[in-house]
Coordinates of all heavy atoms in Angstrom, one line a residue:
L119 N -60.0 9.3 -9.3 CA -59.5 10.0 -10.5 C -60.6 10.0 -11.6 O -60.7 10.9 -12.3 CB -58.3 9.3 -11.0 CG -57.1 9.2 -10.1 CD1 -55.8 8.6 -10.7 CD2 -56.7 10.6 -9.5
F149 N -58.2 8.9 -15.8 CA -57.8 10.3 -15.6 C -56.5 10.5 -16.3 O -55.5 9.9 -16.0 CB -57.7 10.4 -14.1 CG -57.1 11.6 -13.5 CD1 -57.8 12.7 -13.1 CD2 -55.7 11.6 -13.2 CE1 -57.2 13.8 -12.4 CE2 -55.1 12.7 -12.5 CZ -55.9 13.8 -12.1
G150 N -56.5 11.4 -17.2 CA -55.3 11.6 -18.0 C -54.6 12.9 -17.7 O -55.1 14.0 -18.1
L151 N -53.5 12.9 -16.9 CA -52.8 14.1 -16.6 C -51.3 13.9 -17.1 O -50.8 14.7 -17.9 CB -52.8 14.3 -15.1 CG -51.9 15.4 -14.6 CD1 -52.4 16.8 -15.1 CD2 -51.9 15.5 -13.0
T152 N -50.7 12.8 -16.7 CA -49.3 12.6 -17.0 C -49.0 12.5 -18.5 O -49.8 11.8 -19.2 CB -48.8 11.3 -16.3 OG1 -49.0 11.4 -14.9 CG2 -47.3 11.0 -16.5
G157 N -44.6 15.0 -16.2 CA -44.9 14.0 -15.2 C -45.1 14.8 -13.9 O -46.2 15.3 -13.6
S158 N -44.0 14.9 -13.1 CA -44.1 15.6 -11.9 C -44.5 17.1 -12.1 O -45.2 17.7 -11.3 CB -42.7 15.6 -11.1 OG -42.6 14.3 -10.6
D159 N -44.0 17.6 -13.2 CA -44.3 19.0 -13.6 C -45.6 19.0 -14.4 O -45.7 19.1 -15.6 CB -43.2 19.7 -14.4 CG -43.6 21.1 -14.9 OD1 -44.5 21.7 -14.3 OD2 -43.0 21.5 -15.9
A160 N -46.7 18.9 -13.6 CA -48.0 18.7 -14.3 C -48.5 20.0 -15.1 O -49.2 19.8 -16.0 CB -49.1 18.4 -13.2
A161 N -47.9 21.1 -14.7 CA -48.3 22.3 -15.4 C -47.6 22.4 -16.8 O -47.9 23.3 -17.6 CB -47.9 23.6 -14.6
R181 N -49.6 9.5 -20.7 CA -48.9 8.2 -20.5 C -49.1 7.7 -19.1 O -49.4 8.5 -18.2 CB -47.4 8.6 -20.6 CG -46.8 7.9 -21.8 CD -45.3 7.9 -21.7 NE -44.8 6.5 -21.8 CZ -43.5 6.2 -21.8 NH1 -42.6 7.2 -21.7 NH2 -43.2 5.0 -21.8
F182 N -48.9 6.4 -18.9 CA -49.0 5.8 -17.6 C -50.4 6.0 -17.0 O -50.5 6.3 -15.7 CB -47.9 6.3 -16.6 CG -46.5 6.1 -17.1 CD1 -45.6 7.2 -17.1 CD2 -46.1 4.9 -17.6 CE1 -44.4 7.1 -17.6 CE2 -44.8 4.8 -18.1 CZ -43.9 5.9 -18.1
I183 N -51.4 5.9 -17.7 CA -52.8 6.1 -17.2 C -53.4 4.9 -16.7 O -53.7 3.9 -17.4 CB -53.6 6.8 -18.3 CG1 -52.9 8.0 -18.9 CG2 -55.0 7.1 -17.8 CD1 -52.5 9.1 -17.9
T184 N -53.7 4.9 -15.4 CA -54.4 3.7 -14.8 C -55.7 3.5 -15.4 O -56.5 4.4 -15.6 CB -54.5 4.0 -13.2 OG1 -53.3 4.3 -12.7 CG2 -55.0 2.7 -12.5
S204 N -49.9 26.9 -15.8 CA -51.1 26.2 -15.3 C -52.4 26.9 -15.6 O -53.4 26.3 -15.7 CB -50.9 26.1 -13.8 OG -50.9 27.3 -13.1
H205 N -52.3 28.3 -15.8 CA -53.5 29.0 -16.1 C -54.1 28.8 -17.5 O -55.2 29.2 -17.9 CB -53.3 30.5 -15.8 CG -53.1 30.8 -14.4 ND1 -54.1 31.0 -13.5 CD2 -52.0 30.8 -13.6 CE1 -53.7 31.2 -12.3 NE2 -52.3 31.1 -12.3
F258 N -56.2 23.0 -14.3 CA -55.0 22.6 -13.4 C -55.5 22.5 -11.9 O -55.2 21.5 -11.2 CB -53.9 23.5 -13.6 CG -52.6 23.2 -12.8 CD1 -51.8 22.2 -13.3 CD2 -52.3 23.8 -11.6 CE1 -50.6 21.8 -12.6 CE2 -51.2 23.4 -10.9 CZ -50.3 22.4 -11.4
K259 N -56.3 23.5 -11.5 CA -56.7 23.5 -10.1 C -57.7 22.3 -9.9 O -57.7 21.7 -8.8 CB -57.4 24.8 -9.8 CG -56.4 25.9 -9.6 CD -57.0 27.2 -9.2 CE -55.9 28.3 -9.4 NZ -56.4 29.6 -9.3
M262 N -55.5 19.4 -9.4 CA -54.8 19.4 -8.1 C -55.7 19.0 -7.0 O -55.3 18.3 -6.1 CB -54.1 20.8 -7.9 CG -52.9 21.1 -8.8 SD -51.6 20.0 -8.5 CE -51.5 19.1 -10.1
K263 N -56.9 19.6 -7.0 CA -57.9 19.2 -6.0 C -58.2 17.7 -6.0 O -58.3 17.0 -5.0 CB -59.2 20.0 -6.2 CG -59.1 21.4 -5.7 CD -60.5 22.1 -5.9 CE -60.4 23.6 -5.9 NZ -61.5 24.3 -6.5
L265 N -56.2 15.4 -7.1 CA -55.1 14.7 -6.5 C -55.0 14.7 -5.0 O -54.5 13.8 -4.4 CB -53.8 15.2 -7.2 CG -53.6 14.7 -8.6 CD1 -52.3 15.4 -9.2 CD2 -53.4 13.2 -8.8
D266 N -55.4 15.8 -4.4 CA -55.4 15.9 -3.0 C -56.2 14.7 -2.4 O -55.8 14.0 -1.5 CB -56.1 17.1 -2.5 CG -55.2 18.4 -2.6 OD1 -54.0 18.2 -2.7 OD2 -55.7 19.5 -2.5
R269 N -54.6 11.2 -3.2 CA -53.4 10.8 -2.4 C -53.9 10.1 -1.1 O -53.1 9.2 -0.7 CB -52.6 12.1 -2.2 CG -51.8 12.4 -3.4 CD -51.2 13.8 -3.4 NE -50.6 14.0 -4.8 CZ -50.3 15.2 -5.2 NH1 -50.5 16.3 -4.5 NH2 -49.8 15.3 -6.5
T334 N -54.9 19.3 2.2 CA -53.8 19.1 1.2 C -52.5 18.6 1.9 O -52.0 17.6 1.4 CB -53.5 20.5 0.5 OG1 -54.7 20.9 -0.2 CG2 -52.4 20.3 -0.5
E384 N -49.4 9.2 -8.6 CA -50.2 10.3 -8.0 C -49.3 11.2 -7.2 O -49.6 11.8 -6.2 CB -51.4 9.8 -7.2 CG -52.4 9.3 -8.1 CD -53.8 9.1 -7.5 OE1 -54.2 10.0 -6.7 OE2 -54.4 8.0 -7.8
G385 N -48.1 11.4 -7.7 CA -47.1 12.3 -7.1 C -46.1 11.5 -6.4 O -46.4 10.8 -5.4
I389 N -42.5 14.9 -4.6 CA -43.6 15.8 -4.8 C -44.3 16.0 -3.5 O -44.7 17.1 -3.2 CB -44.5 15.4 -6.0 CG1 -43.8 15.6 -7.4 CG2 -45.8 16.2 -6.0 CD1 -43.5 17.0 -7.8
I392 N -42.6 18.4 -1.4 CA -42.8 19.8 -1.9 C -44.1 20.3 -1.4 O -44.2 21.4 -0.9 CB -42.6 19.8 -3.4 CG1 -41.2 19.6 -3.9 CG2 -43.1 21.2 -4.0 CD1 -41.0 19.4 -5.4
V393 N -45.2 19.5 -1.6 CA -46.5 20.0 -1.2 C -46.6 20.2 0.3 O -47.0 21.3 0.8 CB -47.6 18.9 -1.6 CG1 -48.9 19.3 -1.0 CG2 -47.6 18.8 -3.1
R396 N -44.4 23.4 1.2 CA -45.1 24.6 0.8 C -46.2 25.0 1.7 O -46.5 26.2 2.0 CB -45.7 24.5 -0.7 CG -44.6 24.6 -1.7 CD -45.2 24.6 -3.1 NE -44.2 24.6 -4.1 CZ -44.5 24.6 -5.4 NH1 -45.8 24.5 -5.8 NH2 -43.5 24.7 -6.3
K401 N -45.0 29.2 -0.4 CA -44.3 28.9 -1.6 C -43.1 29.8 -1.8 O -43.2 31.0 -1.6 CB -45.3 29.1 -2.8 CG -44.8 28.5 -4.1 CD -45.8 28.6 -5.2 CE -45.1 28.2 -6.5 NZ -46.0 28.4 -7.7
Ligands
CAA6 N1 -55.8 22.7 -4.7 C1 -56.2 23.8 -5.3 N2 -55.4 24.6 -6.1 C2 -54.1 24.3 -6.1 C3 -53.6 23.1 -5.5 C4 -54.5 22.3 -4.7 N3 -54.1 21.2 -4.1 N4 -52.3 23.1 -5.7 C5 -52.0 24.1 -6.5 N5 -53.1 24.8 -6.7 C6 -53.2 26.1 -7.5 C7 -52.2 27.1 -6.9 O1 -52.9 27.8 -5.8 C8 -51.9 28.0 -8.1 O2 -53.0 28.9 -8.3 P1 -52.7 30.5 -8.7 O3 -51.7 30.4 -9.8 O4 -54.0 31.0 -9.1 O5 -52.1 31.1 -7.5 C9 -51.9 27.0 -9.3 O6 -52.7 25.9 -8.8 C10 -50.6 26.6 -9.6 O7 -50.0 26.0 -8.5 P2 -48.4 25.9 -8.3 O8 -47.8 27.2 -8.7 O9 -48.1 25.5 -6.9 O10 -48.0 24.8 -9.3 P3 -46.6 24.2 -9.7 O11 -46.5 24.1 -11.2 O12 -45.5 24.8 -8.9 O13 -46.8 22.6 -9.3 C11 -47.0 20.6 -7.9 C12 -47.2 22.1 -8.1 C13 -47.4 20.3 -6.6 C14 -45.5 20.2 -8.1 C15 -47.8 19.9 -9.0 O14 -47.3 20.1 -10.3 C16 -48.0 18.4 -8.7 O15 -48.7 18.0 -7.9 N6 -47.2 17.6 -9.5 C17 -47.4 16.1 -9.4 C18 -48.4 15.7 -10.3 C19 -48.9 14.3 -10.1 O16 -49.2 13.9 -8.9 N7 -49.0 13.5 -11.1 C20 -49.5 12.1 -11.1 C21 -50.9 12.1 -11.7 S1 -51.5 10.5 -11.8 C22 -51.7 10.2 -13.5 O17 -51.8 11.0 -14.3 C23 -51.8 8.8 -13.9 C24 -52.7 7.9 -13.2 O18 -53.7 7.4 -13.8 C25 -52.4 7.5 -11.9

Side-chain angles (χ1 to χ4, degrees):
L119 304 184
F149 169 93
L151 175 64
T152 303
S158 287
D159 177 21
R181 250 195 119 177
F182 304 128
I183 306 306
T184 307
S204 64
H205 294 273
F258 184 80
K259 285 182 191 169
M262 287 299 114
K263 283 184 200 159
L265 285 173
D266 282 343
R269 285 167 185 162
T334 298
E384 290 194 41
I389 288 292
I392 290 173
V393 172
R396 283 184 183 180
K401 195 174 167 187

